[in-house]
Amino acid sequence: MLMLMTIKLHNQKKQWLYSSIKKHSWIFPLNCSIGTLLITIVPYILTVHYGYTNKKIFPLISDSGGYPPGANIFSSFLIICAIFSTLTAWIRYKQVKYYLQLHWKDDQNMNELKYLRSINWTLVILMIFSSFGMLIAASFRFTDSATIAVIHGIGATITFVCDLLYSIGTAYICWKLYHVYCLESKPISLIVFTIVKTITATIFALNFLISWYMAGNDFLDAKFRLKWPDVNSRIFFLTATFSETILVLLISVG
């Protein structure tokens, strides 16, 4: 009898905890958005304040977060964002899974339903990889040696690519949920948002590579990037840095 009461009490606590997490699940994406905004704004202000760069140059976010004290804020909040991004993706996965389970027995096209379930799980994997990229970028500074900078760049690339694919996949599955099962609202804003994010990411990648090509080996020098001279390559570099900032702000909103 005592054992049954203990099990019942344990189940009640478990249900209360689960209900509390569901009720306050909005905190996860909110914290992720706030952390992303802080990563974008605070390290830049500190970099200018301590004279690592000047007001004529708008540096890469990784360069702004490469020197103390901005580096501590950058790495700490990037790790926080990685954690909350994964939790947010898991919550979204459970929500979509619930929708699909409602129609599992009634759906006439089982292959399409299985396909959507597969995409839903793939989105979780993509966000896990994106979060892993954040952890790499947080652990290896872009302002250190060339080898460390390359590792940081790999982490940042994984983050941006996986996050973009996650946005595309989310827009697609939301469109399917609306048109096939009449669930949720028509994802027009999400589709437009994803298109804008894709264009911004393309602009950033192209100008980043062009400015690297034009600067040559000097590009790998953090001091050169933070004090970029007034040459033809500066316009491409500034286009890359501004588009990167817009891209990160879009990620914080999404």
Side-chain angles (χ1 to χ4, degrees):
M1 186 70 178
L2 181 61
M3 184 178 291
L4 290 175
M5 291 179 63
T6 303
I7 294 173
K8 184 177 180 180
L9 182 62
H10 175 73
N11 290 334
Q12 287 178 348
K13 289 182 178 180
K14 188 176 180 181
Q15 289 177 358
W16 175 84
L17 179 62
Y18 183 71
S19 177
S20 180
I21 292 174
K22 284 182 65 178
K23 186 177 180 180
H24 299 91
S25 59
W26 56 270
I27 294 176
F28 298 145
L30 177 63
N31 284 337
C32 186
S33 298
I34 293 174
T36 307
L37 288 173
L38 291 174
I39 287 171
T40 307
I41 298 171
V42 177
Y44 169 71
I45 294 174
L46 293 174
T47 300
V48 174
H49 176 74
Y50 285 97
Y52 294 114
T53 188
N54 54 61
K55 295 181 179 179
K56 293 182 180 179
I57 294 296
F58 189 78
L60 293 165
I61 295 174
S62 296
D63 284 334
S64 296
Y67 294 98
N72 301 326
I73 296 173
F74 177 81
S75 58
S76 298
F77 279 99
L78 200 56
I79 293 171
I80 292 173
C81 286
I83 296 171
F84 281 108
S85 294
T86 303
L87 291 173
T88 302
W90 179 254
I91 291 170
R92 178 58 179 167
Y93 162 78
K94 296 291 286 186
Q95 182 184 28
V96 174
K97 182 181 178 181
Y98 172 75
Y99 289 152
L100 297 178
Q101 284 178 337
L102 291 177
H103 298 272
W104 184 253
K105 295 180 180 180
D106 301 329
D107 197 287
Q108 296 179 354
N109 190 348
M110 296 298 294
N111 290 330
E112 182 178 47
L113 195 59
K114 290 179 180 179
Y115 178 62
L116 292 177
R117 293 184 69 178
S118 176
I119 292 177
N120 191 33
W121 176 245
T122 301
L123 292 178
V124 178
I125 301 300
L126 284 172
M127 187 51 66
I128 291 174
F129 273 101
S130 179
S131 299
F132 180 68
M134 293 183 201
L135 296 178
I136 294 176
S139 303
F140 299 91
R141 296 180 182 178
F142 198 46
T143 53
D144 288 340
S145 65
T147 303
I148 299 299
V150 169
I151 296 174
H152 175 94
I154 292 172
T157 302
I158 293 172
T159 298
F160 284 131
V161 172
C162 290
D163 179 82
L164 184 59
L165 291 175
Y166 181 86
S167 296
I168 295 172
T170 301
Y172 174 78
I173 205 167
C174 287
W175 182 82
K176 278 289 187 179
L177 287 174
Y178 173 79
H179 282 277
V180 178
Y181 302 107
C182 298
L183 294 169
E184 300 190 344
S185 58
K186 195 172 184 179
I188 296 177
S189 58
L190 182 58
I191 293 173
V192 172
F193 173 82
T194 303
I195 292 173
V196 172
K197 185 190 283 189
T198 303
I199 294 172
T200 305
T202 303
I203 293 172
F204 163 65
L206 289 175
N207 283 275
F208 181 88
L209 293 174
I210 291 172
S211 59
W212 188 350
Y213 174 78
M214 295 181 71
N217 292 331
D218 289 334
F219 187 88
L220 298 176
D221 184 2
K223 294 181 179 178
F224 175 83
R225 294 193 303 270
L226 288 166
K227 305 283 186 179
W228 200 287
D230 189 11
V231 292
N232 293 334
S233 57
R234 177 190 276 190
I235 184 64
F236 294 101
F237 180 72
L238 291 178
T239 303
T241 57
F242 276 109
S243 58
E244 181 200 32
T245 301
I246 294 171
L247 178 60
V248 173
L249 291 175
L250 288 172
I251 291 174
S252 69
V253 174

